[in-house]
Amino acid sequence: MATSISSPSSSTPLSPIQLSVIQRKRRSNLFSAAGIVSILIALMTLIALVLQLFIQGLPKLNWQFLTSFADPEASLAGVLAALVGSCLVMLVTAATAVPVGIGAGLYLEEYVTRNKFSALIEINVTNLAGVPSIVYGLLALGLFKYYFSLGESILTAGLTLALLVLPVVIVATRESVRAIPSSLREATYAMGASKSQMVFDHLLPYAFGNILTGVIIGLSRAIGETAPLVTIGALTFIAFLPESPIQSSFPFISFEWLKAPFTVLPIQMFNWVSRPESEFQVNAAAAGIVLLSLTLMMNSIAIYLRYRIQKSLKW
Amino acid sequence: MINIDSPVSPAPPKVEVSNLNFYYGDKHAIKNVNLTLPTNKITALIGPSGCGKTTLLRCFNRMHDLYDGNRYEGEIVLDGQVNILSRRIDPIEVRMRVGMVFQRPNPFPKSIFENVAYGLRVRGEKNKSFIADKVEEALKASALWDEVNDRLKDMAFNLSGGQQQRLCIARALATDPELILFDEPTSALDPIATRNIEELMDGLKKQVTILIVTHSMQQAARLSDYTAFMYLGEMLECDRTEVIFKHAAQLRTRDYVSGQFG
C-alpha cells in the first residue's frame, strides 16, 4: 500500500481531502471484513455438514450398497430401489414440467395481452414458487391419486413434483426471454417474421441456456423432496425394480414402470435415520452422499450446457 | 410543402405519404406529414434530435405495431396501389416488401450465412441452392463477399462493427425489398466504415429506393438525392438535396443546415 503520495504526507499534516479518503476507506474495509465473516459462517456450516456426512457414510459407500435393495439387516441393505425410483420420478417430472413450464412462460411473456387479469395470473405464478411442498402433496393426493386414480405410482410422484417445479420453470423462462434485447426482436420482425417464427427461431434457442439452469434448479429442489411424496403414499420398503422402460422385444418401449410403486432417496434416508440401530445411521449418511452426488451431477451438467450455449451468444 | 418536380430527373414516385399523423398514446409525434419518395433515389430525413425522424421512418414498415398504444392516421401508399397503414394490411406483409437497417448493427447470434438467409427462411424458401445463390448475391451487393466467403459458417459476432452493419444490409437485401429504411446506419461506426457504407448505399439505389435518417448533415449532403427537413414532428421542407442545402425556402431549414442550431 506504500504509494508515492503517502510517504511525504507522513511528515506533513493531512489535508481534509486525504482525511476524508482515509475515513471512507476505513469504512469500506470494515464492511468487507463483516462480509468475510458472514460468508465464513455459511461456508463453514456447509463444509462441516458435508464432512460429517462423508466421514460417516463414505466407508459404507460401495458397489454392494448401490446395487442392493432395502433389507432389515443394515449391512446387507442398499439404495438400489430408491436410486432407480428417484431417477424415474425425476424423468417424469422433467418430461411434464419442462414443456408445460416453457409453454406457459412463453405465453405469459410474449402472447398475453396486458390487463388486470394477466397481472393477477402473473402474481399468482410467482407466488406459487413459495407454496410449501406439503400443500402440493395434499393437492396431488386428491387430484392424481383419488380423482384420476393413478395410485401410489411413479407417475403420481413425478406429476406431484412437476407441480412443484412448474413455477420455477415458468419464472426462469420468462426471465431468460425478457433478457433478450429488443433490438434482436425488432431485427427479426423487420425481416417479416411472424410471432411464432420469432419465438421458435430466436427466443427459444437464445433463452434455452438460462431456461435449462432454471429447470435444473427446480429439479434439484424436487429430488430432495420428501413431504409431498409421503403424503401421496410412497413406500419405504421395496425389494424389486419397476419394469424396464426399454424392452428387448417389440414395441421395445414399455410404460408399465409408470404404474409401479416406488421409493426415493430422501424417503429411504428418512426411514433409516428413524431406526434405532446405529448401523442404519451410517446407511443414511451413505444415501445422503448418493443424493448429494446426484444433485451435483445435475448442476454440473447444467453449468456445462449453459456454458456451451452462452459461448455462442453475444449482444 | 412538397416540391419534388425537378427538370433534371423526374423519377416516378415509389412511396407517397399523405396527411400522416402518428400518436404514441396521447403524444402527437408526427404532424400532418406529406412526402414523396422517388423510385431508386436516396431520400434523407434530417432535423434536430427528437423531431420525429426515426418515428416517421418506423411508420414505413409498421414497426410501431409491435408496441401497444400507438396509432397512425393518414396514408403511406406504395406503388400508387396499397396504403400500408390500412388495417386490412398485415404488418408482416409490409415488412416483407420494406427492409430495414438499424442504428446499431444487430445481427442474429447465428452464422454469417444464416443471418443473410433468414429472410428467405421466413418466407418458407427450402431450395438450398437458391438460398446459397441469394446469400452470395446479397453479400456481394453489400461488398462483404470478399471478406467473408471463406468463413460463412462463422458466427456473425466475430465480424467488426462495420462488417456487421454491412451484414445487416445484406440480410435486408437478400429478399429483394422495394424500399430499404436506414435508421442512422453509421452513427455507431468509425469514419472508414461509414465511408464504406455510404459508397455501398450509393450503389444500391440502382435497384432499390432508400430512405435514410441521419443526424449528420454532411452525410445527407454527400449521399442523398432528396432531403426532407423535420422540426417538432412537422415536415418543414422537402426538396432536392442541393436546393435544401443552398437555397432552402424556410429560415429554420437554412439555420439548421448551416449549423446555427441542432
Side-chain angles (χ1 to χ4, degrees):
Chain A
M1 279 293 167
T3 61
S4 53
I5 306 165
S6 66
S7 37
S9 70
S10 56
S11 51
T12 52
L14 294 166
S15 72
I17 291 181
Q18 286 170 319
L19 268 174
S20 141
V21 168
I22 287 169
Q23 221 173 35
R24 282 180 290 153
K25 265 195 164 167
R26 199 173 290 149
R27 215 173 292 159
S28 46
N29 286 342
L30 214 66
F31 180 75
S32 70
I36 288 173
V37 171
S38 318
I39 198 151
L40 277 182
I41 291 174
L43 216 60
M44 293 311 257
T45 322
L46 184 71
I47 290 173
L49 217 80
V50 172
L51 225 58
Q52 150 85 12
L53 202 65
F54 272 75
I55 290 169
Q56 207 182 0
L58 212 51
K60 175 71 191 163
L61 201 60
N62 53 30
W63 193 243
Q64 181 270 330
F65 183 71
L66 290 176
T67 54
S68 302
F69 290 107
D71 198 289
E73 183 68 44
S75 58
L76 296 176
V79 287
L80 181 60
L83 185 59
V84 171
S86 272
C87 292
L88 289 179
V89 168
M90 280 304 113
L91 197 66
V92 176
T93 303
T96 46
V98 171
V100 175
I102 292 180
L106 279 175
Y107 180 78
L108 281 176
E109 198 56 35
E110 289 298 313
Y111 287 85
V112 91
T113 30
R114 308 259 166 232
N115 53 29
K116 280 194 179 143
F117 182 66
S118 70
L120 194 74
I121 290 180
E122 278 175 31
I123 292 171
N124 271 303
V125 168
T126 321
N127 283 343
L128 276 182
V131 170
S133 58
I134 186 99
V135 176
Y136 284 108
L138 285 178
L139 170 67
L141 183 68
L143 190 68
F144 300 134
K145 191 171 165 186
Y146 293 129
Y147 191 78
F148 289 122
S149 307
L150 297 178
E152 292 131 15
S153 61
I154 289 178
L155 182 61
T156 307
L159 292 177
T160 308
L161 294 183
L163 289 179
L164 204 77
V165 172
L166 203 54
V168 182
V169 179
I170 294 176
V171 170
T173 304
R174 297 191 60 188
E175 277 170 5
S176 18
V177 164
R178 208 176 305 159
I180 294 169
S182 63
S183 62
L184 226 55
R185 293 161 192 267
E186 292 196 346
T188 310
Y189 283 124
M191 296 304 299
S194 68
K195 193 156 220 168
S196 66
Q197 286 172 325
M198 167 78 193
V199 167
F200 289 102
D201 296 346
H202 298 276
L203 295 187
L204 260 186
Y206 307 157
F208 193 69
N210 284 328
I211 295 178
L212 201 72
T213 316
V215 168
I216 301 280
I217 289 172
L219 289 181
S220 314
R221 183 186 164 194
I223 203 172
E225 277 298 340
T226 324
L229 298 185
V230 172
T231 317
I232 59 166
L235 300 179
T236 49
F237 189 92
I238 287 201
F240 56 88
L241 285 182
E243 196 181 323
S244 166
I246 297 157
Q247 299 286 313
S248 56
S249 60
F250 189 80
F252 303 113
I253 290 177
S254 156
F255 289 102
E256 281 305 306
W257 57 276
L258 285 172
K259 298 178 197 154
F262 69 97
T263 191
V264 290
L265 280 167
I267 292 180
Q268 184 67 73
M269 267 179 82
F270 178 72
N271 177 253
W272 280 334
V273 169
S274 54
R275 299 279 194 107
E277 302 95 324
S278 64
E279 294 93 335
F280 278 113
Q281 309 300 319
V282 175
N283 282 6
I289 298 173
V290 175
L291 183 57
L292 210 64
S293 321
L294 221 54
T295 318
L296 279 179
M297 211 163 69
M298 277 173 19
N299 276 314
S300 35
I301 291 172
I303 291 169
Y304 173 73
L305 283 178
R306 188 172 50 165
Y307 169 75
R308 281 291 303 275
I309 295 170
Q310 296 297 79
K311 210 169 56 166
S312 61
L313 294 181
K314 247 193 309 183
W315 36 64
Chain B
M1 264 172 245
I2 30 170
N3 177 25
I4 307 180
D5 40 3
S6 88
V8 192
S9 57
K14 178 70 190 171
V15 188
E16 284 177 292
V17 181
S18 48
N19 302 320
L20 176 68
N21 284 281
F22 177 78
Y23 303 84
Y24 288 115
D26 294 333
K27 189 171 178 277
H28 194 175
I30 299 289
K31 294 169 188 161
N32 211 35
V33 162
N34 291 287
L35 176 69
T36 301
L37 306 184
T39 306
N40 293 6
K41 297 286 174 201
I42 299 179
T43 306
L45 284 175
I46 60 168
S49 6
C51 69
K53 327 183 270 290
T54 296
T55 305
L56 175 60
L57 185 85
R58 288 163 68 96
C59 291
F60 284 81
N61 66 344
R62 300 268 302 264
M63 225 41 187
H64 297 298
D65 286 41
L66 297 180
Y67 306 96
D68 291 338
N70 297 335
R71 192 157 55 86
Y72 312 90
E73 274 171 17
E75 291 190 334
I76 297 180
V77 178
L78 206 56
D79 283 339
Q81 292 165 342
V82 276
N83 171 21
I84 60 171
L85 295 183
S86 159
R87 277 179 212 283
R88 288 195 305 275
I89 303 289
D90 195 299
I92 294 174
E93 186 187 330
V94 178
R95 294 176 200 137
M96 285 172 74
R97 300 180 62 181
V98 180
M100 183 164 184
V101 176
F102 294 80
Q103 192 169 358
R104 300 188 69 84
N106 55 358
F108 302 127
K110 295 179 187 287
S111 71
I112 294 170
F113 184 90
E114 280 308 317
N115 262 280
V116 184
Y118 187 66
L120 302 165
R121 300 217 190 277
V122 159
R123 285 151 178 77
E125 183 58 57
K126 293 277 190 289
N127 186 336
K128 278 187 182 158
S129 64
F130 177 78
I131 293 178
D133 287 347
K134 272 294 189 186
V135 168
E136 181 175 341
E137 190 186 306
L139 284 171
K140 279 177 175 160
S142 61
L144 199 57
W145 178 253
D146 293 338
E147 293 160 59
V148 301
N149 67 65
D150 55 341
R151 49 179 178 137
L152 292 175
K153 294 271 171 281
D154 270 21
M155 290 300 285
F157 290 121
N158 295 334
L159 298 174
S160 72
Q163 287 175 322
Q164 286 186 23
Q165 194 62 306
R166 277 181 280 153
L167 182 69
C168 292
I169 294 173
R171 183 173 70 184
L173 283 174
T175 54
D176 298 319
E178 301 158 47
L179 167 69
I180 300 188
L181 313 169
F182 287 85
D183 184 5
E184 299 190 19
T186 59
S187 63
L189 303 181
D190 63 69
I192 293 169
T194 299
R195 202 184 61 202
N196 288 339
I197 302 267
E198 285 182 8
E199 281 169 3
L200 172 60
M201 289 173 70
D202 198 52
L204 283 182
K205 69 180 182 184
K206 284 198 274 296
Q207 57 186 90
V208 64
T209 306
I210 290 174
L211 178 62
I212 175 177
V213 164
T214 177
H215 61 237
S216 152
M217 278 171 291
Q218 292 89 330
Q219 185 168 58
R222 279 193 303 264
L223 191 62
S224 66
D225 303 299
Y226 295 87
T227 299
F229 175 64
M230 289 190 72
Y231 185 71
L232 299 178
E234 287 179 76
M235 175 78 54
L236 284 197
E237 199 167 355
C238 178
D239 209 323
R240 294 204 338 274
T241 298
E242 59 268 28
V243 175
I244 291 286
F245 277 88
K246 295 203 180 90
H247 317 284
Q250 307 237 357
L251 178 65
R252 237 183 244 292
T253 315
R254 284 201 295 274
D255 283 351
Y256 184 75
V257 297
S258 62
Q260 309 232 357
F261 82 105

